[in-house]
Amino acid sequence: MTEPLAPPPFDPEAAAAAAERFAAAAEPDVAYALHDTPVGRVVLAATRRGLVRVAYEDFNGGEDEVVDDLARRVSPRVLRAPARLDEVRRELDEFFAGERRAFDVALDWSLVQGFGRKVLQATARIPFGETGSYASVAAGAGSPKAVRAAGTALGRNPMPIVVPCHRVLRSGGALGGYTGGVQRKVTLLTVEGVLPA
């Protein structure tokens, strides 16, 4: 007669160790890195689709606040993994060194929807060294009269610098506002030769 099968013994420590090994080896949904630029330290984050966030660390409450926001809005599986951001870090360095006029990294637009996304996509089409107005990006987004809403969308840009909201000025050429402060906008426009060095 065959004896009944008994379940294997459960070892909680071994199970916890296995879970830790899995978490360490698993690819995160969102990888992030810190990067120093001439306009301050930024938190860069990417999903498998592309760059999803460029956040000025000081303006957005610090690294932990940015990571918590990504965990709430994109995925709780967020991991600091600088190598996954090497391409965008290189492109940012080239931009600030005057060696790059456009970013080639793929973008993940999941943090912005609807009219806001259209405004930012219209903004992304403004060439290096040129500027647009709030009215022109509103028109580019298909709603020429929605100038105020366009300004709001620009203020919520989740990927400043790469999606160049700094190139949008008020009608008449006044600088207007900027995510992260107007001084950063001045620096970025100076890098592009729009403002004198």
Side-chain angles (χ1 to χ4, degrees):
M1 182 173 171
T2 316
E3 293 197 16
L5 293 175
F10 178 72
D11 181 345
E13 288 183 15
E20 261 184 50
R21 286 194 302 275
F22 175 78
E27 189 172 339
D29 292 336
V30 182
Y32 80 95
L34 302 178
H35 189 64
D36 290 317
T37 77
V39 289
R41 177 173 283 187
V42 292
V43 181
L44 305 170
T47 66
R48 291 179 184 86
R49 288 189 294 252
L51 182 70
V52 71
R53 189 79 171 98
V54 178
Y56 293 114
E57 186 184 34
D58 59 352
F59 190 76
N60 290 277
E63 175 185 349
D64 290 344
E65 186 67 31
V66 174
V67 170
D68 287 348
D69 183 58
L70 289 165
R72 282 191 304 272
R73 299 172 65 196
V74 181
S75 167
R77 290 172 35 86
V78 182
L79 183 67
R80 188 170 181 171
R84 290 257 320 263
L85 283 302
D86 278 353
E87 183 180 355
V88 67
R89 292 192 297 163
R90 178 180 53 78
E91 291 193 9
L92 283 168
D93 289 345
E94 291 171 353
F95 171 82
F96 284 108
E99 300 166 353
R100 173 172 290 277
R101 299 170 67 90
F103 292 93
D104 296 325
V105 292
L107 302 180
D108 177 345
W109 294 94
S110 61
L111 289 177
V112 59
Q113 285 81 37
F115 181 69
R117 182 183 294 190
K118 291 178 183 176
V119 166
L120 294 176
Q121 289 174 332
T123 300
R125 293 192 291 271
I126 301 172
F128 179 97
E130 297 183 23
T131 59
S133 66
Y134 294 94
S136 70
V137 293
S143 300
K145 294 182 179 177
V147 176
R148 187 175 297 272
T152 300
L154 291 164
R156 295 177 180 164
N157 179 8
M159 296 175 282
I161 309 174
V162 175
V163 175
C165 56
H166 59 275
R167 295 176 189 159
V168 181
L169 309 180
R170 288 186 178 159
S171 298
L175 286 179
Y178 181 68
T179 299
V182 173
Q183 188 53 49
R184 285 184 165 123
K185 188 171 191 173
V186 169
T187 301
L188 290 163
L189 291 172
T190 301
V191 167
E192 297 194 17
V194 174
L195 296 177

